[in-house]
């Protein structure tokens, strides 16, 4: 079993990236009881002919995959602006809900760590498990749109009446704060990592995934700077925290709109189908107008989900 886990991804790389199907077949025979050629005779598969060989930096790549890369990179960037700002926002909660005055540094670290653990148990981890259960049932795109929308609503609910939350200790504030992490993980914080790994052909998959992730870190950088500016500004007329939180809500709604317009649904689509670049090249500019995205295959047999 361990050998199969190692060899199968390697054989995919050999067959799809190096275009060496013979060597991939020989490698697979090392972990199969039956010859791969016998399997091919029993169940013949149509092999791709004359695979494309254009480079990453080319007009052909932009024509076929440019919109997909733009979608993955920008949604990841917008997510990380909001997600990392939420993490920094915990400092405002510590001041109001944790008794950190007149305590030593060890007790303070313990209280903060305990609070972060409770947030993870109550919101972060359940969000991941909801995604695991629903991702093959309702699709990646819908989960990402729903997550962005709910995050935006929660940020508005925190930011617009921020003067009220600042003057009153209310458990509702903690619930709303936890929901930002729940819908981030039951939403774009999971799907922005999954979609680039499924969307691009094998020879571009790692590179495009890396570009998208790098754009996410750019978003985290600017989100962190913006939030630090908001928390350090002392002028009450500016109301910087309210502006920052409402802006995060607007960023999430922008992420939902970009997901709807440009993100392609990958649910029910095998990785091999992404090698059909002639099909991909015929995609329309707005992915929401595609028949495959208006009617995605979201009903997956139970036995496939179990696997």
């Amino acid at each position: 079993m361990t050998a199969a886990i190692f060899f199968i991804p390697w054989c995919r790389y050999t067959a799809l990236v190096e275009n060496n199907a013979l060597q991939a077949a020989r490698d697979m025979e090392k972990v199969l009881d039956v010859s791969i050629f016998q399997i091919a005779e029993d169940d013949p598969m149509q092999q791709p002919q004359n695979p494309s060989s254009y480079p990453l930096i080319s007009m052909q790549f932009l024509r076929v995959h440019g919109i997909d890369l733009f979608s993955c990179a920008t949604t990841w960037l917008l997510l990380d602006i909001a997600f990392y700002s939420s993490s920094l926002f915990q400092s405002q909660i510590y001041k109001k809900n944790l008794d950190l005055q007149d305590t030593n540094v060890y007790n303070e670290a313990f209280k903060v760590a305990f609070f972060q653990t409770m947030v993870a148990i109550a919101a972060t981890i359940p969000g991941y498990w909801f995604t695991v259960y629903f991702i093959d049932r309702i699709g990646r795109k819908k989960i990402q749109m729903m997550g962005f929308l709910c995050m935006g609503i929660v940020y508005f609910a925190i930011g617009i009446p921020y003067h009220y939350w600042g003057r009153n200790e209310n458990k509702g504030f903690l619930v709303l704060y936890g929901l930002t992490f729940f819908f981030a993980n039951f939403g774009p914080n999971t799907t922005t990592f999954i979609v680039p790994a499924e969307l691009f052909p094998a020879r571009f998959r790692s590179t495009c995934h890396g570009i998208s992730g790098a754009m996410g870190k750019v978003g985290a950088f600017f989100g962190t700077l913006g939030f630090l500016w908001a928390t350090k500004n002392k002028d009450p007329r500016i109301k910087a925290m309210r502006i920052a939180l409402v802006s995060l809500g607007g960023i999430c709604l922008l992420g939902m709109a970009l997901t709807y317009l440009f993100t392609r649904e990958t649910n029910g689509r095998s990785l091999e189908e992404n090698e059909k670049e002639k099909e991909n090249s015929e995609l329309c500019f707005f992915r929401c107008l595609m028949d495959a995205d208006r009617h995605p295959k979201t009903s997956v047999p139970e036995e496939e989900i179990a696997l």
Side-chain angles (χ1 to χ4, degrees), residues 137-167:
R137 290 171 167 82
I138 64 178
R140 286 83 165 134
K141 184 174 181 177
K142 290 182 179 179
I143 287 179
Q144 184 163 306
M145 290 175 58
M146 179 271 300
F148 270 128
L149 175 62
C150 293
M151 287 176 67
I153 293 173
V154 172
Y155 279 124
F156 288 140
I158 294 176
I160 294 175
Y162 187 72
H163 65 283
Y164 170 80
W165 301 120
R167 296 175 183 175

Side-chain angles (χ1 to χ4, degrees), residues 222-295:
F222 285 107
T224 300
L225 287 182
F227 188 83
L228 290 176
W229 166 81
T231 55
K232 289 184 178 180
N233 197 300
K234 302 300 182 181
D235 189 346
R237 295 173 298 175
I238 297 179
K239 300 179 181 179
M241 278 302 301
R242 175 186 291 180
I243 295 174
L245 291 170
V246 172
S247 298
L248 292 180
I251 287 172
C252 291
L253 295 185
L254 178 60
M256 182 192 70
L258 291 177
T259 300
Y260 174 73
L261 292 174
F262 300 112
T263 299
R264 185 149 53 101
E265 179 61 73
T266 60
N267 191 33
R269 182 182 177 92
S270 68
L271 297 179
E272 283 71 19
E273 289 183 82
N274 292 325
E275 304 298 322
K276 301 177 182 178
E277 300 191 357
K278 181 179 179 181
E279 174 185 325
N280 294 344
S281 65
E282 297 172 354
L283 297 175
C284 57
F285 183 77
F286 292 112
R287 301 308 197 222
C288 59
L289 301 178
M290 294 169 52
D291 289 336
D293 277 353
R294 289 201 299 264
H295 308 287

Side-chain angles (χ1 to χ4, degrees), residues 9 15 40 53 56 81 132-133 136 163 199 209 211 220-221 249 275 285 299:
S53 59
L56 177 70
I81 291 176
V132 170
Y133 182 80
D136 285 329
H163 65 283
L199 188 57
H209 196 284
I211 292 172
F221 174 76
E275 304 298 322
F285 183 77
S299 58

